[in-house]
Amino acid sequence: MDKLIIDDRKKATISNDGATILKLLNVVHPAARILVDIAKSQDAQVGDGTTSVVILACEFLRQMKPFLEEGVHPRVVIHALRRGTQLALDRLDEIAVKIAKDDPAQVRSLLEKCATTALNSKLVAHQKEFFSKLVVDAVMLLDELLPLDMIGIKKVAGGALEDTRLVSGVAFKKTFSYAGFEMQPKKYANPKIALLNIELELRAERENAEVRVKSVEEYQKVVDTEWNILYDKLVTLHKAGVKIVLSKLPIGDVATQWCADRDMFCAGRVPEEDLRRTQKACGGRIHTTVVGLTDATLGTCELFEEVQIGADRYNLFTGCPRARTCTIVLRGGAEQFMEETERSLHDAIMIVRRARKNDSVVAGGGAIDMELSYHLRQHSRNVTSKQQLLIGAMAKAFELIPRQLCDNAGFDATFVLNKLRNRHANGDLWAGVDIQREDVADNFTACVWEPALVKANAIVAASEAACSMLSVDETVKNPASSSTLPNENKPVKPGRGMGRPC
Amino acid sequence: MALHVPRAPGFYSMMKEGARHYAGMDEAVFRNIEACCQMSGMTSTCYGPVGMNKIVINHIGKHFITKDAATVLQELEVAHPAAKMLVLSSKQQEQEAGDGTNLCLMLAGFLLKEAESVLRMGLSPTEVVSGYEKALEMAQKMLEDQVVGQVSDVRDIAQVEPLIRCAVMSKQFGLHERLARLISEACISVLPQGGHFDVDRVRVCKVLGGSVDGSRLIGGMVFRRAAEGDVTQVIPESGRVKVAVFACPVDFLQTETKGTVLMETAAELANFSAEEERIMEAQVRSLAEAGARVVVSGGKVGELALHYLNHYNILALRVSSKFDLRRLATATGAIALPRLTTPTAEEMGSCSRVVTQEVGDTNVVVFEEDNCKISTVLLRASTENLLDDLERAVDDGVNAYKALTRNPRFVSGGGATEAALAVKLAAAAEAEPGLEQYAISRFANALDAVVKTLATNCCLNGAETLSKIHAELAAGRKHIGIFCDPDSGESAVANVSERGLSDLLLVKQWALRLACRSACTVLSVDEIIMSRPAGGPKPRGPGGDDDD
């Protein structure tokens, strides 16, 4: 299920992403803040599995609690937890399936399956096939460093989720424009693109500059020069054969009109990340001066056009020579819904990125958790010390994930878990919960896959958090000083104290 | 004043209203002892490898989960004047030896506790103080006899690592193997030939995410910041990467004096921008011609400058910390230039490679160096608190290495040294003719109490373990202490030097000395006078004098 959270600014967020929820909750309890931390860490390292890491950490603690109450020293428990973690990781390594990287078709299908598994737990689960293809396409377009900021996600309200499209190139919303803009052509094939960091507007050359003139003629000359400086820049661009001018800074009406007269397209105030993406896709450089424009520093693409998407107009650059970037134009109804979709896609993208970097996968849907649980339980039987019980308890904690899956799907968890335990005891490595049929199934053949890294990181983070919580025997809190952080307790209201209603 | 309020005669009549005054054994000495014992009692559960952590929330709401006594005390902001004395002594321990803060604090606490009983018996504080000082002198001499061995070569990792491991063990038990290896490698790699070891040369870079096992050592410097321009890495085919370091912004300098650019003709206006561009291009071109492939700026990298840096394929990085900039200058052998000029060949630094790596979801720029002057321990962990605590453990380990380079001798750890000293001191006390006898035997008791605490923290019965150790020592065996097995987590009485548990002599020496001194100082106070806090702004919370 999803949670609806209203934060201190009365902004509503709908999410089932652990990290997002915990971030919004403003947890103050010192021990509970560790949980928020591990969710963040999972988000940073893997990008998905934030919910499972938190519930796993809690379950570790819950299972260990009876032992502590019976007087087992926390250090012994910590030791067992570390040992159990190591065992689980070794087992994970042992059974994870490596996928050959040389066959592109196989790699692609692997990535799609991982993305599908990640999306399964999200709001957009019923469109998971559609989105998993989209996400994999998006990631495949990137270069080997796979920088996340090279995938842009744009949200346009309206339309259906299926109207979401992937632009293999750059897309951004039409920027604010002046008169004359509508006279400019909106479609070019193979244009030269100049990316600028220059204000194309009549402006002071320098803020603290001053002009002192002695005669009217000189004054007129100064005025003309100001215009000429602007025209010179435009002429340089025009002479270099530039058809499209994009700038981070404003492009004024004079320049807009000038461009319109000469069959050029211009857009000012382009957001910086969009400009950088355009640069990655189309090549060229971002110019802070127009001196030294050459073909090498100008970008190009096969097709530029402006299209209407929903209520907004978008500038699309497609067929870029170095398509190391792409943009997902997300469509959907409510704003919150689209935000959640964006987060889900982010998670899926991260999973696919990780899967591309590390090629070993395990079966999801509780299969790997049951297998680890089984392995730990078997192992605990061979231990003679106190650790036998503790590792056994840890084994039980791993069952939580399939149990929670069943509970959330409305299945009888006890029944399904019994079956699962039996299947794993009979050596069925990848038996997991089958969400569709309320049963157990071999999730590996059912293609519910996730990268082994996700699981490994979740286990490590959960156990580190549990260990640090167990190792604390005393909490000391100093009174908060009032002078250093006056705004800590009262959130800053909008309107800067002018009493704007919020 | 018309209405004079008569005040009680005596001490208070001569002080301003609001002053406080405590005197005598009950009011001053015992109270002080009680306060100190309470404080050291709190940190005593942190002692040893299996001690427990504390969560400390300081006055700005920052969380610390640690068992590093120095950190706990610092964030606690102790206000009691006598307890503060102990805090100061543990701080001094940190500065002198870099480790053993908890030992120092605990020992001082136990010394005071033991002193209380003799004071109640009727000895005067001065007699106790002189007895303790005598005991300290004896203990220091005995400590010399306890030396197990010494590190003959501080570059030999096989010799250094066990000692670092013991230092780290008391902070991060379970992770100590991994950390000790990292720290020893880092320290040895930056030890200059025939020079002094500088703790500043081992850097720590913390990146959230992953597991502690993912921590690694990087030769060179790591900056948690992405490169400014389009160039993200410089890997030369051969030779080295030249680095120019500027302490100033790489941009046009602003004048301090208020001024305006005065233009008188239209031509001047027209040429103004062109001129600016020309100057900047000339500047960057001359940098490129001098061979610089990387430019590090202490401030902003101006847009025009960045444009030309990109044009000439130079990597630009902004380092906002002056200290980091200086370290980078040391690491690369560059001279940080205060103005944007072209560095000469001597002023230009160099390194093997400059690359951008993605660690977790953070991009870091790494200045790699094959034989480096600075190395960085890249720490990974899943929570911020753990990262901070790991950093403290690394600091302690590095400090231990520094102490090692100063005095390579070591004694056995695990409470063995303390137990042996206690037995010897108790025997020596009996030979003492004067009243000091009591104090010396109390000193021995305090040392025993340290061993007992260690045993209790290791889930053993304190009294039982102590008697076992004493029995073994009496049977003529040596180096008997408490050994905590990292594999099984069980602790037992054993010969610790065989198991490789050793502490640095220097740390023990300082801990004994400082603990004894601070205990004596607290004991010799018989009167506390606190004047009324001055007017003006209200002091902030207890302590209130920290400036972080």
Side-chain angles (χ1 to χ4, degrees):
Chain A
M1 302 299 276
D2 289 359
K3 311 275 174 231
L4 197 156
I5 303 155
I6 299 183
D7 64 10
D8 49 6
R9 272 183 244 131
K10 306 248 161 74
K11 185 176 176 290
T13 307
I14 300 176
S15 178
N16 71 354
D17 179 52
T20 312
I21 296 171
L22 288 174
K23 253 181 238 163
L24 287 170
L25 279 184
N26 269 334
V27 179
V28 288
H29 188 277
R33 277 211 342 210
I34 300 178
L35 289 182
V36 183
D37 255 10
I38 55 169
K40 272 190 211 155
S41 123
Q42 177 84 4
D43 207 21
Q45 185 73 7
V46 193
D48 192 25
T50 48
T51 319
S52 31
V53 66
V54 173
I55 60 172
L56 197 60
C58 292
E59 189 62 16
F60 281 156
L61 290 172
R62 201 207 319 274
Q63 293 293 343
M64 296 306 166
K65 198 176 161 210
F67 296 100
L68 297 171
E69 282 167 349
E70 280 165 19
V72 178
H73 195 275
R75 278 285 161 195
V76 179
V77 178
I78 291 173
H79 193 259
L81 268 177
R82 288 225 171 104
R83 179 101 176 267
T85 309
Q86 199 50 51
L87 284 169
L89 290 181
D90 291 346
R91 179 70 182 161
L92 193 69
D93 242 20
E94 193 182 319
I95 58 177
V97 179
K98 279 244 184 303
I99 300 290
K101 271 212 169 153
D102 24 311
D103 182 7
Q106 206 177 357
V107 172
R108 207 195 141 82
S109 78
L110 154 84
L111 296 179
E112 267 179 32
K113 279 163 196 158
C114 289
T116 316
T117 314
L119 286 170
N120 243 335
S121 60
K122 309 286 186 229
L123 201 59
V124 288
H126 33 278
Q127 276 98 2
K128 62 187 179 202
E129 269 87 32
F130 174 75
F131 278 113
S132 62
K133 273 205 184 64
L134 191 102
V135 164
V136 174
D137 281 339
V139 178
M140 294 301 257
L141 284 171
L142 300 182
D143 57 4
E144 65 275 18
L145 251 179
L146 305 175
L148 188 61
D149 55 353
M150 283 302 134
I151 300 181
I153 299 183
K154 302 281 165 197
K155 290 169 286 187
V156 186
L161 266 181
E162 285 84 353
D163 292 341
T164 300
R165 56 189 276 193
L166 176 76
V167 180
S168 66
V170 192
F172 53 84
K173 204 168 151 181
K174 180 189 92 82
T175 53
F176 179 79
S177 58
Y178 287 97
F181 178 74
E182 294 310 335
M183 289 157 64
Q184 295 175 352
K186 299 295 186 306
K187 193 168 182 181
Y188 286 100
N190 297 317
K192 280 188 190 168
I193 305 168
L195 309 167
L196 303 180
N197 183 18
I198 305 173
E199 190 176 337
L200 289 178
E201 177 66 291
L202 287 173
R203 61 185 275 266
E205 277 299 284
R206 201 181 163 95
E207 264 161 37
N208 58 353
E210 195 179 316
V211 178
R212 280 194 197 152
V213 287
K214 294 188 182 94
S215 64
V216 178
E217 286 145 53
E218 196 60 37
Y219 183 76
Q220 188 55 45
K221 269 192 201 161
V222 169
V223 173
D224 290 345
T225 311
E226 286 202 324
W227 285 79
N228 281 336
I229 289 172
L230 173 62
Y231 285 139
D232 281 349
K233 286 178 188 161
L234 292 168
V235 169
T236 318
L237 288 169
H238 185 61
K239 274 196 186 145
V242 173
K243 286 288 171 203
I244 298 173
V245 181
L246 303 177
S247 178
K248 256 201 299 205
L249 297 171
I251 294 181
D253 48 358
V254 179
T256 310
Q257 188 61 51
W258 197 90
C259 287
D261 294 345
R262 282 160 192 79
D263 183 31
M264 284 163 78
F265 174 88
C266 68
R269 292 193 188 144
V270 179
E272 173 150 18
E273 73 260 24
D274 287 329
L275 202 66
R276 285 206 39 222
R277 265 206 293 279
T278 317
Q279 186 200 359
K280 284 271 171 176
C282 304
R285 286 220 170 86
I286 296 176
H287 297 263
T288 308
T289 162
V290 287
V291 181
L293 278 184
T294 60
D295 279 355
T297 60
L298 294 174
T300 185
C301 68
E302 271 170 27
L303 182 70
F304 161 78
E305 59 180 334
E306 187 183 278
V307 293
Q308 186 86 21
I309 302 177
D312 297 326
R313 283 154 67 181
Y314 268 76
N315 295 332
L316 300 190
F317 297 82
T318 46
C320 305
R322 307 189 221 167
R324 290 213 201 112
T325 172
C326 56
T327 312
I328 296 170
V329 181
L330 206 59
R331 305 298 310 274
E335 192 193 332
Q336 280 96 349
F337 184 75
M338 279 203 299
E339 273 173 21
E340 176 63 5
T341 312
E342 184 184 346
R343 278 192 289 273
S344 309
L345 286 187
H346 167 260
D347 283 8
I349 290 169
M350 287 298 282
I351 287 288
V352 175
R353 286 179 69 212
R354 291 302 162 197
R356 248 187 95 176
K357 281 187 180 172
N358 307 338
D359 48 357
S360 58
V361 292
V362 292
I368 180 67
D369 307 278
M370 281 312 283
E371 179 54 29
L372 292 178
S373 168
Y374 172 73
H375 179 70
L376 284 181
R377 192 172 293 117
Q378 284 310 106
H379 186 272
S380 73
R381 307 237 156 103
N382 300 327
V383 182
T384 44
S385 60
K386 279 178 206 165
Q387 309 226 335
Q388 183 189 34
L389 289 172
L390 293 169
I391 292 183
M394 211 175 149
K396 192 149 183 247
F398 274 111
E399 283 182 1
L400 174 86
I401 289 178
R403 180 182 292 275
Q404 201 64 45
L405 267 178
C406 293
D407 280 348
N408 289 356
F411 303 161
D412 180 355
T414 323
F415 175 70
V416 176
L417 277 170
N418 280 345
K419 272 193 179 173
L420 277 177
R421 272 188 217 114
N422 171 277
R423 292 277 291 265
H424 280 271
N426 292 331
D428 193 352
L429 271 185
W430 303 119
V433 185
D434 185 343
I435 299 287
Q436 266 80 34
R437 291 187 293 122
E438 188 173 351
D439 201 2
V440 297
D442 185 332
N443 274 352
F444 203 81
T445 45
C447 295
V448 185
W449 294 358
E450 55 183 337
L453 182 80
V454 179
K455 211 76 231 172
N457 199 64
I459 296 171
V460 171
S463 113
E464 271 178 12
C467 286
S468 56
M469 268 187 247
L470 284 170
S471 71
V472 172
D473 72 336
E474 200 168 327
T475 306
V476 191
K477 190 169 182 188
N478 275 344
S481 61
S482 46
S483 56
T484 46
L485 275 181
N487 292 331
E488 196 189 23
N489 293 326
K490 36 181 181 178
V492 183
K493 284 196 178 144
R496 298 199 182 95
M498 303 285 279
R500 207 178 77 197
C502 46
Chain B
M1 264 197 287
L3 234 171
H4 178 73
V5 183
R7 275 201 275 176
F11 183 82
Y12 287 102
S13 66
M14 67 181 192
M15 301 294 287
K16 250 189 190 170
E17 219 167 314
R20 281 177 292 168
H21 173 234
Y22 308 98
M25 290 297 270
D26 276 334
E27 254 191 6
V29 181
F30 289 137
R31 265 197 196 195
N32 286 346
I33 291 179
E34 196 187 339
C36 294
C37 288
Q38 258 171 12
M39 194 185 65
S40 77
M42 197 179 72
T43 53
S44 71
T45 51
C46 305
Y47 188 58
V50 281
M52 300 295 279
N53 285 345
K54 312 270 173 225
I55 293 185
V56 183
I57 304 166
N58 72 358
H59 67 94
I60 51 168
K62 191 174 181 326
H63 286 215
F64 296 83
I65 298 184
T66 185
K67 55 182 187 170
D68 182 38
T71 312
V72 173
L73 291 178
Q74 193 186 339
E75 299 308 328
L76 272 185
E77 297 176 19
V78 176
H80 192 282
K84 213 165 184 177
M85 217 107 74
L86 259 60
V87 176
L88 289 179
S89 78
S90 86
K91 253 186 203 159
Q92 204 179 346
Q93 170 81 12
E94 167 111 57
Q95 279 161 10
E96 290 293 346
D99 197 9
T101 47
N102 206 351
L103 175 66
C104 170
L105 192 76
M106 250 173 43
L107 189 60
F110 286 127
L111 283 173
L112 287 170
K113 201 177 198 170
E114 294 293 332
E116 191 181 351
S117 69
V118 266
L119 289 176
R120 291 211 190 270
M121 229 166 69
L123 257 68
S124 78
T126 28
E127 282 159 346
V128 180
V129 167
S130 73
Y132 273 179
E133 261 161 16
K134 198 159 203 178
L136 174 67
E137 213 173 289
M138 291 176 175
Q140 295 284 24
K141 275 200 199 102
M142 290 169 188
L143 203 56
E144 300 275 325
D145 305 333
Q146 292 293 321
V147 171
V148 182
Q150 67 172 1
V151 175
S152 54
D153 181 9
V154 286
R155 286 177 201 280
D156 183 4
I157 195 158
Q159 288 186 49
V160 170
E161 205 188 328
L163 286 165
I164 305 283
R165 194 188 306 140
C166 292
V168 177
M169 208 180 208
S170 64
K171 299 293 179 298
Q172 288 295 337
F173 190 62
L175 308 171
H176 56 272
E177 296 278 349
R178 173 104 204 145
L179 285 176
R181 175 132 283 251
L182 282 178
I183 297 167
S184 329
E185 279 175 5
C187 290
I188 292 172
S189 69
V190 298
L191 182 68
Q193 288 293 345
H196 283 291
F197 175 72
D198 183 3
V199 285
D200 214 31
R201 292 198 169 169
V202 178
R203 307 300 309 155
V204 173
C205 178
K206 299 177 283 183
V207 181
L208 186 69
S211 71
V212 181
D213 282 333
S215 304
R216 59 200 159 95
L217 187 67
I218 295 174
M221 296 227 22
V222 178
F223 293 98
R224 277 184 57 176
R225 210 189 156 99
E228 299 283 316
D230 298 339
V231 190
T232 53
Q233 48 194 7
V234 181
I235 303 171
E237 289 90 46
S238 63
R240 299 171 61 75
V241 179
K242 283 194 180 169
V243 182
V245 181
F246 295 102
C248 59
V250 177
D251 201 357
F252 291 109
L253 290 177
Q254 295 285 332
T255 50
E256 287 294 329
T257 322
K258 191 173 175 257
T260 46
V261 180
L262 190 63
M263 294 173 205
E264 289 188 333
T265 59
E268 278 174 4
L269 178 65
N271 289 332
F272 188 78
S273 285
E275 190 70 3
E276 265 192 340
E277 282 162 16
R278 201 186 56 75
I279 291 172
M280 186 49 90
E281 185 177 8
Q283 181 61 60
V284 177
R285 194 192 314 122
S286 81
L287 270 174
E289 276 162 7
R293 304 280 306 271
V294 177
V295 167
V296 180
S297 154
K300 215 173 122 215
V301 179
E303 283 179 340
L304 197 60
L306 195 59
H307 174 85
Y308 285 115
L309 289 170
N310 283 340
H311 188 248
Y312 286 103
N313 221 3
I314 296 174
L315 187 147
L317 179 74
R318 183 178 172 185
V319 176
S320 44
S321 154
K322 272 185 189 163
F323 299 104
D324 273 349
L325 198 73
R326 197 161 10 153
R327 282 185 204 109
L328 180 69
T330 320
T332 55
I335 292 169
L337 297 169
R339 296 183 47 226
L340 191 59
T341 49
T342 308
T344 58
E346 298 86 58
E347 287 167 332
M348 189 93 81
S350 68
C351 67
S352 304
R353 275 173 304 280
V354 179
V355 290
T356 300
Q357 292 179 0
E358 191 190 23
V359 182
D361 66 348
T362 317
N363 276 321
V364 295
V365 174
V366 183
F367 285 74
E368 280 181 32
E369 182 64 80
D370 295 332
N371 52 348
C372 51
K373 292 176 188 139
I374 285 188
S375 50
T376 306
V377 178
L378 182 74
L379 289 176
R380 307 296 316 273
S382 51
T383 66
E384 292 280 358
N385 289 316
L386 187 56
L387 274 177
D388 289 345
D389 211 24
L390 287 172
E391 186 186 8
R392 283 189 283 270
V394 172
D395 282 349
D396 274 3
V398 174
N399 273 316
Y401 185 78
K402 186 187 168 199
L404 185 76
T405 56
R406 285 197 293 181
N407 186 347
R409 289 189 291 170
F410 54 88
V411 293
S412 48
T417 311
E418 286 85 351
L421 281 184
V423 170
K424 285 191 176 173
L425 266 182
E430 287 177 12
E432 196 65 27
L435 273 177
E436 282 145 359
Q437 196 191 80
Y438 291 104
I440 297 174
S441 70
R442 291 300 191 269
F443 198 108
N445 285 356
L447 285 170
D448 271 341
V450 172
V451 183
K452 222 161 146 184
T453 314
L454 183 61
T456 323
N457 288 350
C458 292
C459 338
L460 296 170
N461 183 325
E464 201 184 304
T465 314
L466 190 61
S467 57
K468 244 190 229 169
I469 294 178
H470 279 192
E472 296 261 342
L473 286 173
R477 293 191 196 97
K478 276 188 168 177
H479 313 305
I480 302 300
I482 299 158
F483 177 70
C484 189
D485 189 2
D487 293 325
S488 69
E490 311 279 329
S491 317
V493 173
N495 182 332
V496 284
S497 76
E498 278 174 11
R499 311 281 175 105
L501 274 188
S502 15
D503 281 338
L504 288 171
L505 178 67
L506 197 75
V507 174
K508 293 268 186 232
Q509 272 173 345
W510 276 109
L512 281 178
R513 191 174 304 155
L514 289 170
C516 183
R517 292 278 147 78
S518 60
C520 290
T521 320
V522 172
L523 282 176
S524 51
V525 169
D526 71 334
E527 213 167 305
I528 306 173
I529 305 163
M530 291 156 93
S531 64
R532 193 172 75 117
K538 223 178 90 193
R540 168 164 73 73
D545 60 343
D546 63 324
D547 44 5
D548 55 354

